[in-house]
Amino acid sequence: MRKNIVFAIVSIIVIVVVINLLRGCPPPPDDVWVGNRVIASFPKDSINEKLGEMPAMAELHIDASGSMKPYFRAEGTSMINTLSEIVNLDVSGTSIYHKGERCTGLVRDILKNISETEKSDPNTLFHEFFESAACKIDTTNTIIYLVTDGIMSIHDRSKNMSEALVELSGKIKNSLEKHPDLAGAIFRYVGGYKGVYWNCKSDDVPLKEQIDRPYYIIALGSKETMRWLESVPVTKLNNPDRLFMGIHDLDGHKKATLAHGENTKIQDINNDVTLILDLPKCLHDIDVSNVVLTNNDSKLKVDVIKEETLLRAIIPPTIPLRPESDGRIKIELSIPNIIPNSWIGEWNCDDDTDGPDSTSTFGLGTLVTGMFNGLEKDSDFLSVVFTYKRQ
């Protein structure tokens, strides 16, 4: 009897303790941002960035302009290795072309033959090549590569090419923008260069000795194909600097939703508000250096930090925020869709009359800008609106 009484008392005590614990730790309500943590994430399947497979065919075109020969004549194996790695991605499915004619044999022998015996075209018009390649990609499961020095040029070599850069950029944009499933990439390498250099005024500049010069591989394919190429380790591409264009679903990058509704209140008006964005897989490697936070079009002086797969920004209560007419606070987190500065700044040259160097390429910024404007369809790379109510 005594045991039963003791057991009953202990049970009552346990029940009382549990009830008190539960009262002290209630589940988070849906109408309050607990801890002032405003959380957004991307719903499943809100971003359509399907990863494709290696295409059935590949074409590797060797720029036929005379300014390419000094790369082929230089001592060293940089360009040979680069083109060999591209071919090695699909040995049986890759065809090599020069001036529209198919070449056979080892890459080494093809480049040697071009250097010694083949006549070159005076220049390369990128927009004409891009238009032809894009139309083929529209109907064929293929990827098309162009190995080039990246130098912008025009048919009339008696003219100063600097005067035509803006127009050429527009032509490149127009050659690419009419193909909605098209994406591209540009890979930058550095290799030996031995011979004569032609500057923007079509003056020949003989080089006394071999120097290093940048060269490029431009790739075009469907969006799924170019996502496959992005997944290829750089070691299998001879370790280039890379810039991909047109591979992201920019509309999907605007579809983040709040964990609670837009009328949810923060818990404590006197404390910091923490904005948290849970990034999808395609944005895990995002660069946060250009992230902007705005309230009513006014930029907030708040740092955004990346913690593994989260973006986090802390808004102190001392920062003035202008509410909407209904009292809600809206803060937009955005990242502009821009070209990395190295491609249009450090590696670009708009006047090479002093001769070539080992870093810059005449007109590279024009080439990359034209491609970027033709393949990227939005000025925002990412845009998320955080909304909450004060008490």
Side-chain angles (χ1 to χ4, degrees):
M1 185 70 174
R2 288 181 179 178
K3 289 182 179 180
N4 291 337
I5 294 174
V6 171
F7 179 78
I9 294 173
V10 170
S11 299
I12 293 171
I13 293 173
V14 169
I15 292 172
V16 171
V17 170
V18 169
I19 291 174
N20 287 332
L21 286 174
L22 290 175
R23 286 176 177 173
C25 303
D30 288 341
D31 62 344
V32 173
W33 292 111
V34 176
N36 287 5
R37 292 160 51 93
V38 184
I39 302 171
S41 62
F42 290 86
K44 183 180 178 181
D45 299 328
S46 60
I47 297 177
N48 179 20
E49 294 184 7
K50 183 179 178 181
L51 179 65
E53 300 177 346
M54 183 177 67
M57 297 180 295
E59 295 181 5
L60 174 57
H61 293 260
I62 299 173
D63 188 340
S65 62
S67 56
M68 287 295 293
K69 281 194 174 183
Y71 292 101
F72 307 149
R73 292 171 175 164
E75 298 175 6
T77 60
S78 175
M79 183 167 286
I80 293 173
N81 292 343
T82 295
L83 301 194
S84 297
E85 291 288 20
I86 295 296
V87 172
N88 288 341
L89 293 175
D90 184 11
V91 174
S92 62
T94 302
S95 301
I96 301 177
Y97 295 88
H98 181 251
K99 294 177 27 175
E101 299 293 328
R102 185 170 178 178
C103 307
T104 58
L106 298 175
V107 168
R108 176 201 63 185
D109 299 330
I110 292 172
L111 296 185
K112 183 178 180 181
N113 183 55
I114 294 172
S115 172
E116 294 178 350
T117 64
E118 293 284 347
K119 291 184 178 180
S120 301
D121 293 335
N123 48 47
T124 295
L125 298 179
F126 289 107
H127 59 278
E128 293 181 358
F129 179 86
F130 291 161
E131 179 63 35
S132 175
C135 289
K136 186 168 188 175
I137 291 166
D138 283 344
T139 58
T140 308
N141 182 20
T142 187
I143 184 170
I144 297 178
Y145 305 97
L146 173 66
V147 55
T148 175
D149 59 2
I151 293 179
M152 303 294 296
S153 55
I154 54 181
H155 278 311
D156 188 352
R157 296 201 65 168
S158 66
K159 301 295 179 72
N160 186 337
M161 288 185 288
S162 298
E163 299 170 353
L165 289 180
V166 173
E167 182 179 359
L168 289 173
S169 182
K171 288 181 179 294
I172 291 172
K173 173 179 178 290
N174 291 337
S175 71
L176 299 171
E177 65 181 353
K178 301 172 186 176
H179 306 272
D181 191 41
L182 188 67
I186 181 167
F187 300 162
R188 179 182 182 273
Y189 302 88
V190 176
Y193 188 93
K194 184 179 182 180
V196 176
Y197 179 81
W198 294 84
N199 65 23
C200 63
K201 294 184 177 180
S202 298
D203 296 329
D204 60 317
V205 183
L207 303 180
K208 296 180 180 180
E209 58 185 17
Q210 179 171 314
I211 64 173
D212 286 335
R213 288 283 298 147
Y215 65 94
Y216 306 86
I217 286 184
I218 297 172
L220 294 174
S222 70
K223 294 183 183 299
E224 291 186 12
T225 293
M226 296 308 294
R227 292 181 194 125
W228 160 78
L229 184 61
E230 188 195 32
S231 72
V232 175
V234 292
T235 54
K236 290 188 176 182
L237 299 168
N238 202 24
N239 300 297
D241 295 296
R242 309 192 300 175
L243 175 62
F244 282 84
M245 293 163 273
I247 64 172
H248 285 281
D249 175 13
L250 299 182
D251 289 335
H253 289 189
K254 299 178 181 178
K255 294 181 179 179
T257 59
L258 298 172
H260 301 314
E262 295 183 350
N263 293 310
T264 304
K265 305 170 186 175
I266 57 173
Q267 194 171 43
D268 187 348
I269 194 173
N270 296 312
N271 280 334
D272 297 341
V273 173
T274 303
L275 309 180
I276 300 172
L277 176 62
D278 188 6
L279 295 169
K281 184 177 180 180
C282 69
L283 298 177
H284 282 183
D285 296 327
I286 196 170
D287 180 6
V288 299
S289 60
N290 294 316
V291 174
V292 176
L293 289 176
T294 55
N295 167 248
N296 268 1
D297 297 325
S298 295
K299 185 176 179 180
L300 303 181
K301 295 181 179 180
V302 174
D303 291 331
V304 176
I305 60 173
K306 185 171 179 290
E307 299 174 346
E308 296 183 351
T309 63
L310 300 177
L311 295 188
R312 188 185 306 270
I314 297 177
I315 314 295
T318 53
I319 287 187
L321 298 172
R322 181 178 296 178
E324 301 293 304
S325 59
D326 58 5
R328 294 181 301 166
I329 298 295
K330 285 188 176 182
I331 298 176
E332 181 180 8
L333 182 154
S334 62
I335 299 178
N337 193 21
I338 57 177
I339 303 170
N341 187 63
S342 53
W343 293 92
I344 56 178
E346 176 187 354
W347 299 334
N348 174 66
C349 172
D350 291 335
D351 184 351
D352 60 352
T353 51
D354 291 335
D357 59 47
S358 60
T359 302
S360 64
T361 298
F362 174 78
L364 178 66
T366 300
L367 169 61
V368 173
T369 299
M371 292 182 61
F372 191 88
N373 291 340
L375 295 170
E376 294 288 339
K377 310 302 183 185
D378 203 314
S379 59
D380 282 331
F381 183 72
L382 171 69
S383 179
V384 180
V385 177
F386 292 87
T387 306
Y388 61 88
K389 271 190 171 182
R390 291 167 170 163
Q391 295 295 338

